[in-house]
Each structure stands twice: as structure tokens, then as C-alpha cells.
Amino acid sequence: MMQTLLIILVVLFAALVVLIPLIEKFSPKGEPQGYDKLSRFIFPLLALAIVLQIVAYYFL
């Protein structure tokens, strides 16, 4: 059991070490105004997700 957990953690860490530099290198460089448009939706979506989780916890 513990060996399986360690294998999973090592694989995830190795994937992070390999994938993060690749994603940073090949990701498109965004425009600052594009991030402003996206950021105004984050808090309402988080609030909706919290409300949906509360409803699912108590009523489903």
C-alpha cells in the first residue's frame, strides 16, 4: 500500500518537473486585457461552485 503511494507521488512529481517547463515554453502569450475579461468571471464561478457543493452535500 505504501509502496503504491510512493510510486504515484514520484510519477506525479516527475510529470510536474517535465510538463511545467514545456507548458511555459509553448503556451501562447496572453494579452493583459484578455486576463481582465477572464478574471471578472472567477469569483462568481467560485461562488456558484460553493453553492452547488453545499446543495449536493445536504440534499443529494
Side-chain angles (χ1 to χ4, degrees):
M1 174 99 173
M2 190 64 149
Q3 183 181 7
T4 306
L5 178 62
L6 289 175
I7 291 172
I8 291 171
L9 288 174
V10 167
V11 169
L12 287 175
F13 183 74
L16 282 175
V17 168
V18 170
L19 289 177
I20 288 178
L22 288 175
I23 290 171
E24 288 177 350
K25 182 178 180 181
F26 292 111
S27 67
K29 304 299 180 248
E31 302 164 351
Q33 59 267 31
Y35 292 126
D36 290 339
K37 290 179 185 176
L38 188 63
S39 67
R40 72 176 171 190
F41 292 109
I42 290 175
F43 285 118
L45 287 174
L46 284 174
L48 179 65
I50 291 170
V51 169
L52 289 174
Q53 286 296 316
I54 291 172
V55 168
Y57 180 78
Y58 284 110
F59 298 110
L60 296 179

